[in-house]
Amino acid sequence: MEREHPHIVVLGAGFGGLEFCQRFNHPNARVTLVDRTNHHLFQPLLYQVATAGLSAPDIAQPIRSILADRPNVTVLLDSVVDFNLANRQIVLKETTLAYDYLVLALGGCTSYFGHPEWEAFAPGLKSLTDAVLIRSQILMAFEKAETTPLPHVDARLMTIVVVGGGPTGVELAGAFAELARHVLKGDFRRINPADARVILLEGGPRVLAQLSPELSASAQRQLEKLGVHVRVATKVRNITKGRVDLENGETILAENIIWAAGVSATPLTKKLGVELDRASRVKVNPDLSLPGHPEVFAVGDLAFVPDANGKPVPGVSPAAMQMAKHAARIIEDEIAHPKSASRPPFRYWDKGTMATIGRSAAVAQVGKFEFSGLLAWLAWLVIHLLFLVGFRNKTAVLFQWFYSYIAYKRGARIIVKTDS
Amino acid sequence: MEREHPHIVVLGAGFGGLEFCQRFNHPNARVTLVDRTNHHLFQPLLYQVATAGLSAPDIAQPIRSILADRPNVTVLLDSVVDFNLANRQIVLKETTLAYDYLVLALGGCTSYFGHPEWEAFAPGLKSLTDAVLIRSQILMAFEKAETTPLPHVDARLMTIVVVGGGPTGVELAGAFAELARHVLKGDFRRINPADARVILLEGGPRVLAQLSPELSASAQRQLEKLGVHVRVATKVRNITKGRVDLENGETILAENIIWAAGVSATPLTKKLGVELDRASRVKVNPDLSLPGHPEVFAVGDLAFVPDANGKPVPGVSPAAMQMAKHAARIIEDEIAHPKSASRPPFRYWDKGTMATIGRSAAVAQVGKFEFSGLLAWLAWLVIHLLFLVGFRNKTAVLFQWFYSYIAYKRGARIIVKTDS
């Protein structure tokens, strides 16, 4: 009987979980989607909120709205507490759910490489709350510098350190440099925001290590043109309040330190009782199911999946969406044809990688093609705008964003205090 | 010497303080504008943020941006701690400022009529933080109702009480009713958001008491058409968590209680040592200066000014802006012609009053003309959109807002948690 009206529980409404709910199509199956927030977040533009280019609701969409036309999907705002895979149950904060199939799409979190104490001094960028916090901190630092009695303004207030030269670090550093040099121009009377120093620290030999050395070099040149101090092969030894100690013995004093160096799977994966990789990701079977649990699938940033070359599939939204679609097809097929269904292995289709560096600057790699500068930026802009528009029919964001790019205005330069 | 380069300190960057800085024009005078936030708030649309129609940055503009083209104006992010009128000094949290002229434009705050303990259970709506908090609370209540195990959903979760039938209360109640009946339609699987009750409590005999009895009746009819339970001549005796006790002995249980009943001047006016009215407003001279302090002006919500008929000038933005302009002219004149300057009394020009009730519903009174329904709503829309667009060149807001009115979508339906 249960097999006839199977219940599929999806944990997480990121790109993977949402794609599953939109793709999965079986008339007699019920789907319950659980997320601890009420909104799906367009993560690739989160750095725009942190750097005052977009406001938080611009890149977030209520999950219920997105799935309003899917009557077989129930959305619950709740948090995962524990798994009971043996009994096919999920323990949430408010209730317990039984499932026939489970899709784990809980995503990742910022990882401090064994130094959780750094988080207090170097926030990461994973949620809207993080982004609004970073935005407020950076803007407050300029305000503090402006009110500091002359003649000596503490250079620390005007220094922003971004740790990590991956796409997020590169995008943040570029956007901060533009904020200081162009957007805030003319706003202050005592300080000159263009005096701000933006320092990008990368432990490896080059930024954007997943791209070719040529594109990495191009990205570094474009960042330096914006005024970013790019320091590769520079490892962090310790972070305390307003202070970064480097492995080479040097110390950088900075009011604002942003951590963009590491991502790991949600710590909840440790409760699954299955094998994990170093970043706490679940080592799944080729069909994305958990070893020993064919009814449980892991998709997106919390899944460790080798691609055709043995390299792990990267933690990007297209990968999460492809995995979700794969799991949806398998589950649909098994419900429709319980006897004859087969489980093909997941194959990742790499659509390319791109990172934006500033207004009209970017790098992109699509298959064998590489491009940088204005052309890459236009490609990036078109792809993200199309996505945003499709995502929430928010044509207004397009106008606003286009306007702020053209005019070097930042519409969301608002400091929100929780204590006032 | 000092008289030749006079220093004018303006406290508060609301409609009054900002208008002063934009209107005041004397080549040799320095102006310092102090505000505790970095943004000017378009207060008339704050209820739209609380009801998820607009996002917080849509109705806020960085003060520094607005005044970027006024090099003689310095903006300080700081809070007023105390006044030293005798020595012409202002004590701020971070510094102390000496002035030749002082413009008090610190605005008002929510007043609980001697019951400050109600604030914890019935938040008011004065700041962006208030608005985002109310929005998150209301949306969370629907989420809680949806996750409550069947069969009994607590009716309290689906009840919203708005206390106070002035413009803010009317606008909030109408927008909440629309949110529940139209915007959230289809979003839930267990509850029906249209079952939500929105109750508007007014202690006096009619809503919008400042308008004519005919317009009040029209506003009440329009609210009731949206499903709002309007209860006039209903006084509140006590408010505790999730509970409103009425003077008539009745009790209303409601997860969401919003206080829109009272406004008073900022409590800082009590430190001025001058005569105040019951709402802590400064009783100013006819020229808006403080009795005994011709160099100190009070404008906007913290000033008590009788109009030509002896009634106090209302706490609305046009009044604040007219007062600011009046003070600016007097100060300019005295600096330019210290011997011959005169001080005309302030005259309030009432441009009319309007309140919006919902999509295509409103009431308006302009001089002897009264109108309601669609025409009033269109007038309200045009005036506010023009203001918004002029205010921040944010054409995108217009599109977004127009779209959400047409499509009954609410773009800013995002619950922001500070603890996640």
Side-chain angles (χ1 to χ4, degrees):
Chain A
M1 275 307 282
E2 199 181 37
R3 278 292 117 187
E4 289 174 43
H5 293 288
H7 182 213
I8 298 146
V9 172
V10 180
L11 302 180
F15 284 101
L18 201 60
E19 179 78 359
F20 183 91
C21 293
Q22 290 179 310
R23 291 287 182 161
F24 180 78
N25 201 4
H26 193 280
N28 292 327
R30 289 182 303 127
V31 177
T32 301
L33 173 62
V34 180
D35 199 281
R36 60 185 170 167
T37 75
N38 81 327
H39 51 270
H40 170 69
L41 188 63
F42 191 73
Q43 286 246 8
L45 288 177
L46 197 52
Y47 83 96
Q48 284 270 350
V49 175
T51 56
L54 292 172
S55 68
D58 286 342
I59 63 158
Q61 170 83 322
I63 299 164
R64 297 190 182 285
S65 295
I66 302 174
L67 298 170
D69 60 350
R70 314 239 4 135
N72 68 328
V73 179
T74 302
V75 179
L76 289 185
L77 180 76
D78 208 336
S79 306
V80 177
V81 175
D82 206 355
F83 306 94
N84 187 342
L85 298 190
N87 294 322
R88 300 192 178 180
Q89 285 185 332
I90 293 295
V91 183
L92 305 176
K93 213 169 159 192
E94 303 292 335
T95 186
T96 294
L97 296 177
Y99 61 80
D100 298 298
Y101 285 99
L102 177 65
V103 179
L104 300 165
L106 290 158
C109 61
T110 305
S111 162
Y112 289 84
F113 301 139
H115 290 281
E117 73 277 12
W118 295 354
E119 185 175 1
F121 317 117
L125 182 64
K126 285 304 279 181
S127 71
L128 276 185
T129 311
D130 293 341
V132 172
L133 179 81
I134 289 172
R135 181 180 79 195
S136 290
Q137 279 189 356
I138 301 263
L139 293 174
M140 270 308 292
F142 283 103
E143 294 289 341
K144 271 195 246 172
E146 176 82 349
T147 49
T148 301
L150 292 172
H152 52 276
V153 170
D154 194 341
R156 169 195 309 229
L157 287 172
M158 307 270 286
T159 304
I160 300 168
V161 173
V162 177
V163 185
T168 301
V170 164
E171 289 174 338
L172 279 172
F176 282 133
E178 284 197 332
L179 182 71
R181 291 183 170 236
H182 299 291
V183 182
L184 297 180
K185 196 177 168 180
D187 273 13
F188 294 86
R189 297 289 170 267
R190 296 175 176 181
I191 61 164
N192 179 2
D195 292 342
R197 283 192 308 160
V198 179
I199 303 170
L200 179 64
L201 302 178
E202 164 58 39
R206 57 193 178 94
V207 298
L208 301 175
Q210 71 273 49
L211 298 180
S212 71
E214 291 73 30
L215 278 188
S216 290
S218 169
Q220 179 162 347
R221 275 197 309 275
Q222 293 181 66
L223 282 168
E224 285 167 348
K225 210 169 144 196
L226 284 175
V228 176
H229 301 258
V230 181
R231 302 188 53 181
V232 295
T234 304
K235 285 196 167 62
V236 169
R237 195 181 58 202
N238 195 26
I239 299 178
T240 50
K241 187 165 166 48
R243 177 183 174 132
V244 181
D245 292 311
L246 303 179
E247 293 248 318
N248 66 12
E250 199 184 328
T251 290
I252 302 174
L253 300 180
E255 182 83 357
N256 299 290
I257 308 167
I258 318 293
W259 183 263
V263 174
S264 66
T266 166
L268 285 166
T269 55
K270 298 189 178 106
K271 299 192 171 183
L272 286 167
V274 298
E275 196 186 351
L276 308 177
D277 79 342
R278 275 199 318 159
S280 299
R281 291 181 294 186
V282 178
K283 290 190 171 179
V284 292
N285 295 324
D287 63 353
L288 302 179
S289 68
L290 260 62
H293 291 281
E295 75 285 2
V296 182
F297 292 82
V299 305
D301 291 2
L302 59 58
F304 176 85
V305 191
D307 70 5
N309 306 318
K311 282 203 306 182
V313 172
V316 295
S317 52
M321 294 164 80
Q322 290 175 30
M323 292 185 210
K325 198 175 155 192
H326 186 81
R329 289 289 161 270
I330 288 178
I331 297 174
E332 276 169 15
D333 199 32
E334 286 193 353
I335 295 173
H337 315 286
K339 306 280 180 196
S340 65
S342 68
R343 293 191 162 203
F346 171 71
R347 296 238 180 278
Y348 174 55
W349 178 42
D350 185 356
K351 292 181 177 175
T353 308
M354 47 187 17
T356 179
I357 290 154
R359 200 177 77 137
S360 70
V363 291
Q365 184 165 29
V366 180
K368 285 192 165 42
F369 297 99
E370 297 186 349
F371 37 112
S372 62
L374 182 64
L375 187 63
W377 181 77
L378 286 173
W380 177 88
L381 189 68
V382 167
I383 289 172
H384 284 78
L385 286 183
L386 285 182
F387 204 110
L388 255 194
V389 171
F391 161 66
R392 57 175 311 185
N393 204 353
K394 217 183 179 183
T395 326
V397 175
L398 189 152
F399 284 100
Q400 177 175 342
W401 204 33
F402 190 70
Y403 172 75
S404 63
Y405 259 101
I406 297 297
Y408 270 135
K409 296 265 180 202
R410 293 280 168 98
R413 227 149 69 236
I414 302 304
I415 300 173
V416 178
K417 280 190 273 186
T418 49
D419 59 342
S420 75
Chain B
M1 276 306 282
E2 200 180 37
R3 279 290 118 185
E4 288 175 45
H5 293 287
H7 182 212
I8 298 145
V9 171
V10 180
L11 302 179
F15 284 101
L18 201 60
E19 180 78 1
F20 183 91
C21 292
Q22 290 179 309
R23 291 287 181 161
F24 180 78
N25 201 4
H26 193 281
N28 292 327
R30 289 182 304 128
V31 177
T32 301
L33 174 62
V34 180
D35 199 281
R36 60 184 171 167
T37 73
N38 80 328
H39 51 270
H40 170 70
L41 188 63
F42 191 73
Q43 285 246 9
L45 287 176
L46 198 51
Y47 83 96
Q48 284 270 349
V49 175
T51 56
L54 292 172
S55 67
D58 286 342
I59 64 158
Q61 170 82 322
I63 299 164
R64 297 190 182 285
S65 294
I66 302 173
L67 298 171
D69 60 350
R70 313 237 8 134
N72 68 327
V73 179
T74 302
V75 179
L76 289 185
L77 180 76
D78 209 336
S79 306
V80 177
V81 175
D82 206 355
F83 306 95
N84 188 342
L85 298 189
N87 294 322
R88 300 193 177 181
Q89 285 184 331
I90 294 294
V91 183
L92 304 176
K93 214 168 158 192
E94 303 292 335
T95 186
T96 294
L97 296 176
Y99 62 81
D100 299 297
Y101 285 100
L102 176 66
V103 179
L104 300 166
L106 290 158
C109 61
T110 305
S111 163
Y112 289 83
F113 300 140
H115 290 282
E117 72 277 13
W118 294 355
E119 185 176 359
F121 317 116
L125 183 64
K126 284 304 278 181
S127 70
L128 277 185
T129 311
D130 293 341
V132 171
L133 179 81
I134 289 172
R135 181 180 81 195
S136 290
Q137 279 188 357
I138 302 260
L139 294 173
M140 269 309 291
F142 284 102
E143 294 290 340
K144 270 195 247 172
E146 176 82 349
T147 51
T148 301
L150 292 172
H152 50 277
V153 171
D154 194 340
R156 168 196 308 229
L157 287 172
M158 307 271 286
T159 304
I160 300 168
V161 172
V162 177
V163 185
T168 301
V170 165
E171 289 174 337
L172 278 172
F176 282 133
E178 284 198 331
L179 182 71
R181 292 182 170 237
H182 299 292
V183 182
L184 297 179
K185 196 178 170 180
D187 273 13
F188 294 86
R189 297 289 170 268
R190 297 175 177 181
I191 61 165
N192 179 2
D195 292 342
R197 284 192 307 159
V198 179
I199 303 169
L200 178 64
L201 302 179
E202 165 57 39
R206 56 190 177 96
V207 299
L208 300 175
Q210 71 274 48
L211 298 181
S212 71
E214 291 73 29
L215 279 186
S216 290
S218 169
Q220 180 162 348
R221 276 196 308 275
Q222 294 181 65
L223 282 167
E224 285 166 348
K225 210 169 144 198
L226 284 175
V228 176
H229 302 257
V230 181
R231 301 187 54 179
V232 295
T234 304
K235 286 197 166 61
V236 169
R237 195 181 57 203
N238 195 25
I239 299 178
T240 50
K241 188 167 166 47
R243 178 184 173 130
V244 181
D245 292 312
L246 303 178
E247 294 250 317
N248 66 11
E250 198 184 329
T251 291
I252 303 172
L253 300 179
E255 181 83 357
N256 299 290
I257 308 167
I258 318 293
W259 183 262
V263 175
S264 66
T266 166
L268 284 166
T269 54
K270 297 189 177 106
K271 299 192 172 184
L272 286 168
V274 298
E275 197 186 350
L276 307 178
D277 79 342
R278 275 199 318 159
S280 298
R281 291 181 295 185
V282 178
K283 291 190 170 177
V284 293
N285 295 323
D287 65 351
L288 302 178
S289 69
L290 262 61
H293 291 283
E295 76 286 1
V296 183
F297 292 83
V299 306
D301 291 2
L302 59 57
F304 176 84
V305 192
D307 70 6
N309 306 318
K311 282 203 305 182
V313 171
V316 295
S317 52
M321 292 164 80
Q322 290 174 30
M323 292 185 210
K325 198 174 152 191
H326 186 80
R329 289 289 162 271
I330 288 179
I331 297 174
E332 276 169 14
D333 198 32
E334 287 194 353
I335 294 173
H337 315 287
K339 307 280 181 195
S340 63
S342 68
R343 291 189 162 206
F346 171 71
R347 297 241 179 275
Y348 173 56
W349 178 41
D350 186 356
K351 292 182 178 175
T353 307
M354 48 185 17
T356 178
I357 291 153
R359 202 178 74 138
S360 68
V363 291
Q365 185 165 28
V366 180
K368 286 192 165 39
F369 297 99
E370 296 186 350
F371 36 113
S372 61
L374 182 63
L375 186 63
W377 181 77
L378 286 174
W380 177 87
L381 189 68
V382 166
I383 289 172
H384 285 78
L385 285 183
L386 286 181
F387 205 112
L388 256 194
V389 171
F391 162 65
R392 57 175 312 185
N393 204 353
K394 216 181 178 183
T395 325
V397 174
L398 190 153
F399 284 101
Q400 176 175 342
W401 204 33
F402 190 69
Y403 171 76
S404 63
Y405 259 101
I406 297 297
Y408 270 134
K409 296 265 181 201
R410 294 281 169 98
R413 228 150 68 238
I414 303 305
I415 300 174
V416 178
K417 280 190 273 188
T418 48
D419 60 341
S420 75

